[in-house]
Amino acid sequence: MNARRRGRLLLLPAAVLAAGLVWCGAELPVLGTDRHPYGARSVAAALRQHTSNAVSSINFDQRALDTLGEESILFAAVLGAVVLLRQVRGERRHTPRAGYVLPSTRLFGVGLLPVALLTGVYVVAHGAVTPGGGFQGGVVLASGLHVAYVAADYRVLRRLRPLVVLESAEAVAAGSFAGLGLAGLACCAAYLKNVLPLGAFGQLASGGLVGVLNAAVGVAVASGVVVLLAGFLEQAVELDDAGEETTEGEG
Amino acid sequence: MSRALTLLWFAAAAWIFLAGVRGLTVSRNLVQAVGCLAVAQSSTYVLLLGIGYRAGASAPVFGDMPPGSRPVVDPVVQALTLTDIVVGATVTALLLALAIQIRKGHGTVDPDELTGLRG
C-alpha cells in the first residue's frame, strides 16, 4: 500500500473523528473557568496530606497506583530498547577515537557538569515541596551527565557512567516503588497508602511517602534515560556494520 | 474567557493531533513516522493543560504561597501531562530502537519497502 492510498484511507476515520470533535467542542466548558471540581478536591487533599506541591501529591499519593503503572511502562520501554539495541551478528565493535575538543569547551564542561547534576538532585529532592519531582529531576540528572559527552568525548562519558550499576538501579527503583506500596497494605489494608508521618507543611521532609516514592521515581527515570541514551550512543559510536558502509563515529 | 478562545484552543489541539496522524500515514520514513507519533501525542498536552487552565490563577504549588491566598490551576491534568511526557519520551526511544534494528535487518526505513517477514 503506498502513501497516497494510505492518505485516502485516512479520510473516513478523519471525518468520523472530526464529527466527534465538533460534537465534543460544542459541549466544552469555557477555557479558564473557575469550576474545577477535581482540581479543588485534589488541592484540598494535598493540603490535608501536608504536601505543598499538589502535582506531586497527586502523582505519588492520590494517584500513586496510576504512577506505578506509568513507571512500569517506562521500565518496560527501557528494557525493550536495551534488548533491541544489542550487538547483532555481523557487527564489529571498535574503540572510539578521541575527538579534538577546545580547551575552553573542556573547562566549561568541567564547570557545568557538577552544576547540572546538582540541579537534577535538587529538583528531585524538593519534589514534594516546590515545582519539580522525580520525573522532571530524573531527566535533568540524566541529561546533565551527558555534558561530559558534549563538552569532552565519548570515552569520558563512558568512564563517568557505570552502566551495570545504573541498570540495576533502574530495576531496584522501579521495584521499590511497588514494594513501598506493600507498607500500606500491611498497616491499613490499602495498597500505596501514605503511611509515613506527614511532617511540617512546606518542609523538605513533608508529605510522608510522597518524598520516598518521588526519590524512587527520580532514580528510575535518571538511570533509565542514561541507559537508553547509552544504547543509542553505542550504536552510533562503537558499532560498525561489517559489510556495508561504515558510519563514522565521532568521539 | 470568551467562547471563541475556547474553540481556538480546542481546534489547535485537534489540529496538532490530526497533523501528526496524517504524517504517520503518509510517511515514507520510519524515523519521521516516530516523530509524527510524538507530534500526535503532544496534542494531548495542549488539550489537558487547557482543561486545567483557570483565568488569573497561580501554579498549584504552595512552596512560597500560603494556601488559599490565590486560586490555583487544576493540578490533576498537570500530573497527567507530566507523566505523559516522560513515558512518551521513553516509548519514542523504544520505537526508534526498533527503526534502527529494521534498518539493520532490511537495509531500509521505508515502510512501503518492508514486505514479507524475515527472521
Side-chain angles (χ1 to χ4, degrees), chain A residues 77 80-86 228-229 231-233 235, chain B residues 29-38 88-104 108-109:
Chain A
V82 166
V83 171
L84 280 171
L85 292 173
R86 68 197 184 281
L228 267 183
L229 286 175
F232 284 104
L233 284 173
Q235 292 286 328
Chain B
N29 182 320
L30 285 176
V31 176
Q32 189 195 29
V34 174
C36 292
L37 184 67
T90 47
V91 171
T92 302
L94 177 68
L95 292 173
L96 288 175
L98 266 174
I100 288 180
Q101 290 302 338
I102 288 171
R103 165 75 175 73
K104 277 189 202 164
T108 176
V109 285

PDB file of all heavy atoms in Angstrom, chain A residues 77 80-86 228-229 231-233 235, chain B residues 29-38 88-104 108-109:
ATOM      1  N   ALA A  77       9.688   0.036  28.540  1.00  0.00           N
ATOM      2  CA  ALA A  77      10.221   0.674  27.333  1.00  0.00           C
ATOM      3  C   ALA A  77      11.746   0.664  27.349  1.00  0.00           C
ATOM      4  O   ALA A  77      12.388   0.368  26.334  1.00  0.00           O
ATOM      5  CB  ALA A  77       9.699   2.104  27.221  1.00  0.00           C
ATOM      6  N   GLY A  80      12.902  -2.894  26.744  1.00  0.00           N
ATOM      7  CA  GLY A  80      12.735  -3.249  25.332  1.00  0.00           C
ATOM      8  C   GLY A  80      13.802  -2.617  24.467  1.00  0.00           C
ATOM      9  O   GLY A  80      14.391  -3.271  23.601  1.00  0.00           O
ATOM     10  N   ALA A  81      14.095  -1.337  24.719  1.00  0.00           N
ATOM     11  CA  ALA A  81      15.095  -0.650  23.908  1.00  0.00           C
ATOM     12  C   ALA A  81      16.473  -1.262  24.123  1.00  0.00           C
ATOM     13  O   ALA A  81      17.239  -1.426  23.173  1.00  0.00           O
ATOM     14  CB  ALA A  81      15.106   0.838  24.254  1.00  0.00           C
ATOM     15  N   VAL A  82      16.787  -1.628  25.378  1.00  0.00           N
ATOM     16  CA  VAL A  82      18.093  -2.227  25.657  1.00  0.00           C
ATOM     17  C   VAL A  82      18.222  -3.568  24.930  1.00  0.00           C
ATOM     18  O   VAL A  82      19.262  -3.888  24.347  1.00  0.00           O
ATOM     19  CB  VAL A  82      18.295  -2.398  27.184  1.00  0.00           C
ATOM     20  CG1 VAL A  82      19.462  -3.308  27.486  1.00  0.00           C
ATOM     21  CG2 VAL A  82      18.510  -1.048  27.833  1.00  0.00           C
ATOM     22  N   VAL A  83      17.137  -4.358  24.935  1.00  0.00           N
ATOM     23  CA  VAL A  83      17.171  -5.652  24.241  1.00  0.00           C
ATOM     24  C   VAL A  83      17.325  -5.436  22.732  1.00  0.00           C
ATOM     25  O   VAL A  83      18.105  -6.122  22.068  1.00  0.00           O
ATOM     26  CB  VAL A  83      15.889  -6.452  24.565  1.00  0.00           C
ATOM     27  CG1 VAL A  83      15.794  -7.686  23.689  1.00  0.00           C
ATOM     28  CG2 VAL A  83      15.873  -6.842  26.025  1.00  0.00           C
ATOM     29  N   LEU A  84      16.619  -4.436  22.190  1.00  0.00           N
ATOM     30  CA  LEU A  84      16.681  -4.189  20.745  1.00  0.00           C
ATOM     31  C   LEU A  84      18.037  -3.658  20.311  1.00  0.00           C
ATOM     32  O   LEU A  84      18.521  -3.980  19.222  1.00  0.00           O
ATOM     33  CB  LEU A  84      15.608  -3.178  20.347  1.00  0.00           C
ATOM     34  CG  LEU A  84      14.200  -3.715  20.182  1.00  0.00           C
ATOM     35  CD1 LEU A  84      13.233  -2.567  20.007  1.00  0.00           C
ATOM     36  CD2 LEU A  84      14.125  -4.653  18.992  1.00  0.00           C
ATOM     37  N   LEU A  85      18.656  -2.838  21.170  1.00  0.00           N
ATOM     38  CA  LEU A  85      19.893  -2.168  20.764  1.00  0.00           C
ATOM     39  C   LEU A  85      21.122  -2.979  21.128  1.00  0.00           C
ATOM     40  O   LEU A  85      22.161  -2.437  21.426  1.00  0.00           O
ATOM     41  CB  LEU A  85      19.970  -0.782  21.407  1.00  0.00           C
ATOM     42  CG  LEU A  85      18.952   0.232  20.903  1.00  0.00           C
ATOM     43  CD1 LEU A  85      19.020   1.499  21.721  1.00  0.00           C
ATOM     44  CD2 LEU A  85      19.172   0.544  19.446  1.00  0.00           C
ATOM     45  N   ARG A  86      21.020  -4.298  21.101  1.00  0.00           N
ATOM     46  CA  ARG A  86      22.194  -5.106  21.401  1.00  0.00           C
ATOM     47  C   ARG A  86      23.053  -5.238  20.135  1.00  0.00           C
ATOM     48  O   ARG A  86      22.630  -4.861  19.043  1.00  0.00           O
ATOM     49  CB  ARG A  86      21.765  -6.481  21.893  1.00  0.00           C
ATOM     50  CG  ARG A  86      21.108  -7.299  20.809  1.00  0.00           C
ATOM     51  CD  ARG A  86      20.327  -8.450  21.373  1.00  0.00           C
ATOM     52  NE  ARG A  86      19.778  -9.265  20.297  1.00  0.00           N
ATOM     53  CZ  ARG A  86      18.705  -8.958  19.608  1.00  0.00           C
ATOM     54  NH1 ARG A  86      18.060  -7.840  19.844  1.00  0.00           N
ATOM     55  NH2 ARG A  86      18.257  -9.732  18.642  1.00  0.00           N
ATOM     56  N   LEU A 228      19.094   4.248  28.261  1.00  0.00           N
ATOM     57  CA  LEU A 228      18.558   4.400  26.901  1.00  0.00           C
ATOM     58  C   LEU A 228      19.550   5.104  25.989  1.00  0.00           C
ATOM     59  O   LEU A 228      19.877   4.612  24.899  1.00  0.00           O
ATOM     60  CB  LEU A 228      17.294   5.259  26.954  1.00  0.00           C
ATOM     61  CG  LEU A 228      15.954   4.586  27.072  1.00  0.00           C
ATOM     62  CD1 LEU A 228      14.867   5.638  27.036  1.00  0.00           C
ATOM     63  CD2 LEU A 228      15.761   3.608  25.934  1.00  0.00           C
ATOM     64  N   LEU A 229      20.045   6.270  26.450  1.00  0.00           N
ATOM     65  CA  LEU A 229      20.973   7.041  25.625  1.00  0.00           C
ATOM     66  C   LEU A 229      22.251   6.259  25.392  1.00  0.00           C
ATOM     67  O   LEU A 229      22.853   6.342  24.319  1.00  0.00           O
ATOM     68  CB  LEU A 229      21.272   8.385  26.292  1.00  0.00           C
ATOM     69  CG  LEU A 229      20.121   9.399  26.220  1.00  0.00           C
ATOM     70  CD1 LEU A 229      20.457  10.644  27.016  1.00  0.00           C
ATOM     71  CD2 LEU A 229      19.825   9.777  24.783  1.00  0.00           C
ATOM     72  N   GLY A 231      22.471   3.063  24.996  1.00  0.00           N
ATOM     73  CA  GLY A 231      22.194   2.141  23.902  1.00  0.00           C
ATOM     74  C   GLY A 231      22.329   2.813  22.547  1.00  0.00           C
ATOM     75  O   GLY A 231      22.965   2.288  21.631  1.00  0.00           O
ATOM     76  N   PHE A 232      21.761   4.015  22.424  1.00  0.00           N
ATOM     77  CA  PHE A 232      21.812   4.717  21.141  1.00  0.00           C
ATOM     78  C   PHE A 232      23.228   5.191  20.819  1.00  0.00           C
ATOM     79  O   PHE A 232      23.677   5.090  19.680  1.00  0.00           O
ATOM     80  CB  PHE A 232      20.854   5.915  21.150  1.00  0.00           C
ATOM     81  CG  PHE A 232      19.423   5.512  20.988  1.00  0.00           C
ATOM     82  CD1 PHE A 232      18.555   5.500  22.063  1.00  0.00           C
ATOM     83  CD2 PHE A 232      18.934   5.124  19.748  1.00  0.00           C
ATOM     84  CE1 PHE A 232      17.241   5.125  21.913  1.00  0.00           C
ATOM     85  CE2 PHE A 232      17.622   4.741  19.590  1.00  0.00           C
ATOM     86  CZ  PHE A 232      16.762   4.736  20.674  1.00  0.00           C
ATOM     87  N   LEU A 233      23.933   5.694  21.840  1.00  0.00           N
ATOM     88  CA  LEU A 233      25.300   6.175  21.598  1.00  0.00           C
ATOM     89  C   LEU A 233      26.205   5.021  21.188  1.00  0.00           C
ATOM     90  O   LEU A 233      27.075   5.179  20.334  1.00  0.00           O
ATOM     91  CB  LEU A 233      25.843   6.868  22.853  1.00  0.00           C
ATOM     92  CG  LEU A 233      25.292   8.270  23.103  1.00  0.00           C
ATOM     93  CD1 LEU A 233      25.757   8.792  24.452  1.00  0.00           C
ATOM     94  CD2 LEU A 233      25.744   9.217  22.007  1.00  0.00           C
ATOM     95  N   GLN A 235      25.319   2.396  19.535  1.00  0.00           N
ATOM     96  CA  GLN A 235      25.029   2.132  18.125  1.00  0.00           C
ATOM     97  C   GLN A 235      25.751   3.128  17.227  1.00  0.00           C
ATOM     98  O   GLN A 235      26.284   2.771  16.179  1.00  0.00           O
ATOM     99  CB  GLN A 235      23.516   2.259  17.871  1.00  0.00           C
ATOM    100  CG  GLN A 235      22.689   1.195  18.534  1.00  0.00           C
ATOM    101  CD  GLN A 235      22.799  -0.137  17.842  1.00  0.00           C
ATOM    102  OE1 GLN A 235      22.983  -0.205  16.622  1.00  0.00           O
ATOM    103  NE2 GLN A 235      22.710  -1.195  18.600  1.00  0.00           N
TER     104      GLN A 235
ATOM    105  N   ASN B  29       9.290   7.227   5.870  1.00  0.00           N
ATOM    106  CA  ASN B  29      10.492   7.014   6.655  1.00  0.00           C
ATOM    107  C   ASN B  29      10.078   6.731   8.099  1.00  0.00           C
ATOM    108  O   ASN B  29       9.325   7.495   8.688  1.00  0.00           O
ATOM    109  CB  ASN B  29      11.337   8.285   6.579  1.00  0.00           C
ATOM    110  CG  ASN B  29      12.652   8.155   7.321  1.00  0.00           C
ATOM    111  OD1 ASN B  29      12.708   7.582   8.398  1.00  0.00           O
ATOM    112  ND2 ASN B  29      13.707   8.681   6.750  1.00  0.00           N
ATOM    113  N   LEU B  30      10.552   5.621   8.652  1.00  0.00           N
ATOM    114  CA  LEU B  30      10.091   5.217   9.990  1.00  0.00           C
ATOM    115  C   LEU B  30      10.492   6.210  11.069  1.00  0.00           C
ATOM    116  O   LEU B  30       9.750   6.434  12.017  1.00  0.00           O
ATOM    117  CB  LEU B  30      10.640   3.829  10.330  1.00  0.00           C
ATOM    118  CG  LEU B  30       9.968   2.664   9.613  1.00  0.00           C
ATOM    119  CD1 LEU B  30      10.662   1.366   9.961  1.00  0.00           C
ATOM    120  CD2 LEU B  30       8.508   2.583   9.979  1.00  0.00           C
ATOM    121  N   VAL B  31      11.682   6.822  10.914  1.00  0.00           N
ATOM    122  CA  VAL B  31      12.122   7.790  11.917  1.00  0.00           C
ATOM    123  C   VAL B  31      11.186   8.991  11.911  1.00  0.00           C
ATOM    124  O   VAL B  31      10.760   9.498  12.958  1.00  0.00           O
ATOM    125  CB  VAL B  31      13.581   8.224  11.649  1.00  0.00           C
ATOM    126  CG1 VAL B  31      14.004   9.292  12.636  1.00  0.00           C
ATOM    127  CG2 VAL B  31      14.508   7.030  11.749  1.00  0.00           C
ATOM    128  N   GLN B  32      10.810   9.412  10.687  1.00  0.00           N
ATOM    129  CA  GLN B  32       9.859  10.512  10.571  1.00  0.00           C
ATOM    130  C   GLN B  32       8.505  10.109  11.144  1.00  0.00           C
ATOM    131  O   GLN B  32       7.832  10.910  11.808  1.00  0.00           O
ATOM    132  CB  GLN B  32       9.713  10.871   9.087  1.00  0.00           C
ATOM    133  CG  GLN B  32       8.933  12.133   8.873  1.00  0.00           C
ATOM    134  CD  GLN B  32       8.486  12.282   7.441  1.00  0.00           C
ATOM    135  OE1 GLN B  32       8.282  11.289   6.740  1.00  0.00           O
ATOM    136  NE2 GLN B  32       8.346  13.502   7.003  1.00  0.00           N
ATOM    137  N   ALA B  33       8.112   8.850  10.929  1.00  0.00           N
ATOM    138  CA  ALA B  33       6.831   8.380  11.460  1.00  0.00           C
ATOM    139  C   ALA B  33       6.813   8.440  12.980  1.00  0.00           C
ATOM    140  O   ALA B  33       5.807   8.826  13.588  1.00  0.00           O
ATOM    141  CB  ALA B  33       6.561   6.958  10.971  1.00  0.00           C
ATOM    142  N   VAL B  34       7.937   8.080  13.599  1.00  0.00           N
ATOM    143  CA  VAL B  34       8.017   8.157  15.064  1.00  0.00           C
ATOM    144  C   VAL B  34       7.882   9.617  15.504  1.00  0.00           C
ATOM    145  O   VAL B  34       7.195   9.932  16.487  1.00  0.00           O
ATOM    146  CB  VAL B  34       9.339   7.550  15.567  1.00  0.00           C
ATOM    147  CG1 VAL B  34       9.503   7.756  17.060  1.00  0.00           C
ATOM    148  CG2 VAL B  34       9.399   6.066  15.247  1.00  0.00           C
ATOM    149  N   GLY B  35       8.513  10.521  14.750  1.00  0.00           N
ATOM    150  CA  GLY B  35       8.360  11.952  15.039  1.00  0.00           C
ATOM    151  C   GLY B  35       6.911  12.391  14.933  1.00  0.00           C
ATOM    152  O   GLY B  35       6.419  13.150  15.772  1.00  0.00           O
ATOM    153  N   CYS B  36       6.211  11.898  13.915  1.00  0.00           N
ATOM    154  CA  CYS B  36       4.799  12.245  13.726  1.00  0.00           C
ATOM    155  C   CYS B  36       3.962  11.734  14.892  1.00  0.00           C
ATOM    156  O   CYS B  36       3.026  12.414  15.346  1.00  0.00           O
ATOM    157  CB  CYS B  36       4.269  11.659  12.427  1.00  0.00           C
ATOM    158  SG  CYS B  36       4.989  12.420  10.978  1.00  0.00           S
ATOM    159  N   LEU B  37       4.295  10.543  15.370  1.00  0.00           N
ATOM    160  CA  LEU B  37       3.570   9.993  16.527  1.00  0.00           C
ATOM    161  C   LEU B  37       3.774  10.895  17.747  1.00  0.00           C
ATOM    162  O   LEU B  37       2.821  11.166  18.495  1.00  0.00           O
ATOM    163  CB  LEU B  37       4.068   8.579  16.830  1.00  0.00           C
ATOM    164  CG  LEU B  37       3.339   7.855  17.956  1.00  0.00           C
ATOM    165  CD1 LEU B  37       1.907   7.573  17.550  1.00  0.00           C
ATOM    166  CD2 LEU B  37       4.043   6.569  18.321  1.00  0.00           C
ATOM    167  N   ALA B  38       5.004  11.395  17.907  1.00  0.00           N
ATOM    168  CA  ALA B  38       5.284  12.297  19.035  1.00  0.00           C
ATOM    169  C   ALA B  38       4.473  13.585  18.893  1.00  0.00           C
ATOM    170  O   ALA B  38       3.978  14.132  19.884  1.00  0.00           O
ATOM    171  CB  ALA B  38       6.777  12.597  19.096  1.00  0.00           C
ATOM    172  N   GLY B  88       6.094   9.119  27.277  1.00  0.00           N
ATOM    173  CA  GLY B  88       6.124   9.304  25.826  1.00  0.00           C
ATOM    174  C   GLY B  88       7.542   9.304  25.293  1.00  0.00           C
ATOM    175  O   GLY B  88       7.829   8.701  24.259  1.00  0.00           O
ATOM    176  N   ALA B  89       8.452   9.960  26.022  1.00  0.00           N
ATOM    177  CA  ALA B  89       9.843  10.030  25.562  1.00  0.00           C
ATOM    178  C   ALA B  89      10.473   8.641  25.530  1.00  0.00           C
ATOM    179  O   ALA B  89      11.163   8.280  24.566  1.00  0.00           O
ATOM    180  CB  ALA B  89      10.640  10.953  26.474  1.00  0.00           C
ATOM    181  N   THR B  90      10.204   7.817  26.559  1.00  0.00           N
ATOM    182  CA  THR B  90      10.836   6.501  26.572  1.00  0.00           C
ATOM    183  C   THR B  90      10.216   5.588  25.507  1.00  0.00           C
ATOM    184  O   THR B  90      10.924   4.789  24.893  1.00  0.00           O
ATOM    185  CB  THR B  90      10.714   5.836  27.951  1.00  0.00           C
ATOM    186  OG1 THR B  90       9.372   5.957  28.404  1.00  0.00           O
ATOM    187  CG2 THR B  90      11.629   6.461  28.954  1.00  0.00           C
ATOM    188  N   VAL B  91       8.911   5.723  25.283  1.00  0.00           N
ATOM    189  CA  VAL B  91       8.290   4.898  24.248  1.00  0.00           C
ATOM    190  C   VAL B  91       8.798   5.313  22.862  1.00  0.00           C
ATOM    191  O   VAL B  91       9.053   4.470  22.003  1.00  0.00           O
ATOM    192  CB  VAL B  91       6.747   4.974  24.338  1.00  0.00           C
ATOM    193  CG1 VAL B  91       6.098   4.300  23.155  1.00  0.00           C
ATOM    194  CG2 VAL B  91       6.270   4.331  25.623  1.00  0.00           C
ATOM    195  N   THR B  92       9.007   6.636  22.665  1.00  0.00           N
ATOM    196  CA  THR B  92       9.612   7.104  21.415  1.00  0.00           C
ATOM    197  C   THR B  92      10.985   6.471  21.229  1.00  0.00           C
ATOM    198  O   THR B  92      11.333   6.029  20.122  1.00  0.00           O
ATOM    199  CB  THR B  92       9.739   8.638  21.443  1.00  0.00           C
ATOM    200  OG1 THR B  92       8.441   9.196  21.635  1.00  0.00           O
ATOM    201  CG2 THR B  92      10.317   9.170  20.153  1.00  0.00           C
ATOM    202  N   ALA B  93      11.763   6.407  22.321  1.00  0.00           N
ATOM    203  CA  ALA B  93      13.087   5.794  22.243  1.00  0.00           C
ATOM    204  C   ALA B  93      12.980   4.329  21.844  1.00  0.00           C
ATOM    205  O   ALA B  93      13.757   3.834  21.024  1.00  0.00           O
ATOM    206  CB  ALA B  93      13.804   5.931  23.586  1.00  0.00           C
ATOM    207  N   LEU B  94      11.996   3.627  22.407  1.00  0.00           N
ATOM    208  CA  LEU B  94      11.793   2.212  22.063  1.00  0.00           C
ATOM    209  C   LEU B  94      11.492   2.062  20.572  1.00  0.00           C
ATOM    210  O   LEU B  94      12.049   1.196  19.888  1.00  0.00           O
ATOM    211  CB  LEU B  94      10.651   1.643  22.903  1.00  0.00           C
ATOM    212  CG  LEU B  94      10.254   0.200  22.624  1.00  0.00           C
ATOM    213  CD1 LEU B  94      11.352  -0.736  23.055  1.00  0.00           C
ATOM    214  CD2 LEU B  94       8.962  -0.159  23.324  1.00  0.00           C
ATOM    215  N   LEU B  95      10.630   2.946  20.048  1.00  0.00           N
ATOM    216  CA  LEU B  95      10.275   2.865  18.629  1.00  0.00           C
ATOM    217  C   LEU B  95      11.477   3.186  17.741  1.00  0.00           C
ATOM    218  O   LEU B  95      11.673   2.564  16.689  1.00  0.00           O
ATOM    219  CB  LEU B  95       9.123   3.829  18.331  1.00  0.00           C
ATOM    220  CG  LEU B  95       7.787   3.438  18.966  1.00  0.00           C
ATOM    221  CD1 LEU B  95       6.763   4.528  18.761  1.00  0.00           C
ATOM    222  CD2 LEU B  95       7.287   2.133  18.373  1.00  0.00           C
ATOM    223  N   LEU B  96      12.300   4.156  18.171  1.00  0.00           N
ATOM    224  CA  LEU B  96      13.489   4.486  17.384  1.00  0.00           C
ATOM    225  C   LEU B  96      14.466   3.314  17.385  1.00  0.00           C
ATOM    226  O   LEU B  96      15.123   3.040  16.377  1.00  0.00           O
ATOM    227  CB  LEU B  96      14.149   5.748  17.932  1.00  0.00           C
ATOM    228  CG  LEU B  96      13.390   7.048  17.653  1.00  0.00           C
ATOM    229  CD1 LEU B  96      14.056   8.215  18.349  1.00  0.00           C
ATOM    230  CD2 LEU B  96      13.305   7.318  16.154  1.00  0.00           C
ATOM    231  N   ALA B  97      14.546   2.605  18.530  1.00  0.00           N
ATOM    232  CA  ALA B  97      15.403   1.419  18.587  1.00  0.00           C
ATOM    233  C   ALA B  97      14.906   0.370  17.597  1.00  0.00           C
ATOM    234  O   ALA B  97      15.697  -0.290  16.911  1.00  0.00           O
ATOM    235  CB  ALA B  97      15.418   0.853  20.005  1.00  0.00           C
ATOM    236  N   LEU B  98      13.579   0.230  17.501  1.00  0.00           N
ATOM    237  CA  LEU B  98      13.003  -0.691  16.512  1.00  0.00           C
ATOM    238  C   LEU B  98      13.397  -0.272  15.100  1.00  0.00           C
ATOM    239  O   LEU B  98      13.760  -1.113  14.262  1.00  0.00           O
ATOM    240  CB  LEU B  98      11.480  -0.681  16.628  1.00  0.00           C
ATOM    241  CG  LEU B  98      10.836  -1.726  17.506  1.00  0.00           C
ATOM    242  CD1 LEU B  98       9.346  -1.456  17.609  1.00  0.00           C
ATOM    243  CD2 LEU B  98      11.070  -3.107  16.930  1.00  0.00           C
ATOM    244  N   ALA B  99      13.341   1.044  14.831  1.00  0.00           N
ATOM    245  CA  ALA B  99      13.691   1.535  13.499  1.00  0.00           C
ATOM    246  C   ALA B  99      15.146   1.215  13.166  1.00  0.00           C
ATOM    247  O   ALA B  99      15.469   0.815  12.039  1.00  0.00           O
ATOM    248  CB  ALA B  99      13.438   3.038  13.409  1.00  0.00           C
ATOM    249  N   ILE B 100      16.030   1.361  14.171  1.00  0.00           N
ATOM    250  CA  ILE B 100      17.450   1.043  13.947  1.00  0.00           C
ATOM    251  C   ILE B 100      17.601  -0.431  13.557  1.00  0.00           C
ATOM    252  O   ILE B 100      18.310  -0.777  12.602  1.00  0.00           O
ATOM    253  CB  ILE B 100      18.274   1.349  15.225  1.00  0.00           C
ATOM    254  CG1 ILE B 100      18.401   2.860  15.405  1.00  0.00           C
ATOM    255  CG2 ILE B 100      19.644   0.706  15.157  1.00  0.00           C
ATOM    256  CD1 ILE B 100      19.198   3.256  16.622  1.00  0.00           C
ATOM    257  N   GLN B 101      16.905  -1.309  14.294  1.00  0.00           N
ATOM    258  CA  GLN B 101      17.018  -2.741  14.003  1.00  0.00           C
ATOM    259  C   GLN B 101      16.425  -3.086  12.644  1.00  0.00           C
ATOM    260  O   GLN B 101      16.930  -3.957  11.937  1.00  0.00           O
ATOM    261  CB  GLN B 101      16.344  -3.561  15.105  1.00  0.00           C
ATOM    262  CG  GLN B 101      17.084  -3.536  16.425  1.00  0.00           C
ATOM    263  CD  GLN B 101      18.511  -4.039  16.325  1.00  0.00           C
ATOM    264  OE1 GLN B 101      18.860  -4.774  15.416  1.00  0.00           O
ATOM    265  NE2 GLN B 101      19.346  -3.614  17.245  1.00  0.00           N
ATOM    266  N   ILE B 102      15.350  -2.402  12.259  1.00  0.00           N
ATOM    267  CA  ILE B 102      14.752  -2.650  10.939  1.00  0.00           C
ATOM    268  C   ILE B 102      15.738  -2.227   9.839  1.00  0.00           C
ATOM    269  O   ILE B 102      15.926  -2.917   8.847  1.00  0.00           O
ATOM    270  CB  ILE B 102      13.412  -1.896  10.807  1.00  0.00           C
ATOM    271  CG1 ILE B 102      12.356  -2.582  11.674  1.00  0.00           C
ATOM    272  CG2 ILE B 102      12.949  -1.853   9.360  1.00  0.00           C
ATOM    273  CD1 ILE B 102      11.073  -1.815  11.787  1.00  0.00           C
ATOM    274  N   ARG B 103      16.401  -1.097  10.049  1.00  0.00           N
ATOM    275  CA  ARG B 103      17.392  -0.630   9.085  1.00  0.00           C
ATOM    276  C   ARG B 103      18.527  -1.648   8.946  1.00  0.00           C
ATOM    277  O   ARG B 103      19.011  -1.909   7.850  1.00  0.00           O
ATOM    278  CB  ARG B 103      17.916   0.723   9.555  1.00  0.00           C
ATOM    279  CG  ARG B 103      19.188   1.216   8.908  1.00  0.00           C
ATOM    280  CD  ARG B 103      18.939   1.706   7.497  1.00  0.00           C
ATOM    281  NE  ARG B 103      20.143   2.284   6.907  1.00  0.00           N
ATOM    282  CZ  ARG B 103      21.193   1.584   6.501  1.00  0.00           C
ATOM    283  NH1 ARG B 103      21.198   0.271   6.639  1.00  0.00           N
ATOM    284  NH2 ARG B 103      22.230   2.179   5.965  1.00  0.00           N
ATOM    285  N   LYS B 104      18.914  -2.254  10.083  1.00  0.00           N
ATOM    286  CA  LYS B 104      19.997  -3.235  10.044  1.00  0.00           C
ATOM    287  C   LYS B 104      19.547  -4.507   9.341  1.00  0.00           C
ATOM    288  O   LYS B 104      20.282  -5.083   8.532  1.00  0.00           O
ATOM    289  CB  LYS B 104      20.417  -3.601  11.465  1.00  0.00           C
ATOM    290  CG  LYS B 104      21.373  -2.636  12.087  1.00  0.00           C
ATOM    291  CD  LYS B 104      21.842  -3.257  13.389  1.00  0.00           C
ATOM    292  CE  LYS B 104      22.350  -2.206  14.336  1.00  0.00           C
ATOM    293  NZ  LYS B 104      22.429  -2.758  15.689  1.00  0.00           N
ATOM    294  N   THR B 108      16.460  -0.770   4.980  1.00  0.00           N
ATOM    295  CA  THR B 108      15.620   0.354   4.593  1.00  0.00           C
ATOM    296  C   THR B 108      14.793   0.805   5.798  1.00  0.00           C
ATOM    297  O   THR B 108      14.546   0.031   6.708  1.00  0.00           O
ATOM    298  CB  THR B 108      14.678  -0.029   3.441  1.00  0.00           C
ATOM    299  OG1 THR B 108      13.817   1.077   3.181  1.00  0.00           O
ATOM    300  CG2 THR B 108      13.816  -1.231   3.786  1.00  0.00           C
ATOM    301  N   VAL B 109      14.382   2.082   5.789  1.00  0.00           N
ATOM    302  CA  VAL B 109      13.450   2.548   6.813  1.00  0.00           C
ATOM    303  C   VAL B 109      12.152   3.016   6.157  1.00  0.00           C
ATOM    304  O   VAL B 109      11.358   3.708   6.763  1.00  0.00           O
ATOM    305  CB  VAL B 109      14.043   3.675   7.685  1.00  0.00           C
ATOM    306  CG1 VAL B 109      15.038   3.126   8.672  1.00  0.00           C
ATOM    307  CG2 VAL B 109      14.642   4.765   6.834  1.00  0.00           C
TER     308      VAL B 109
END
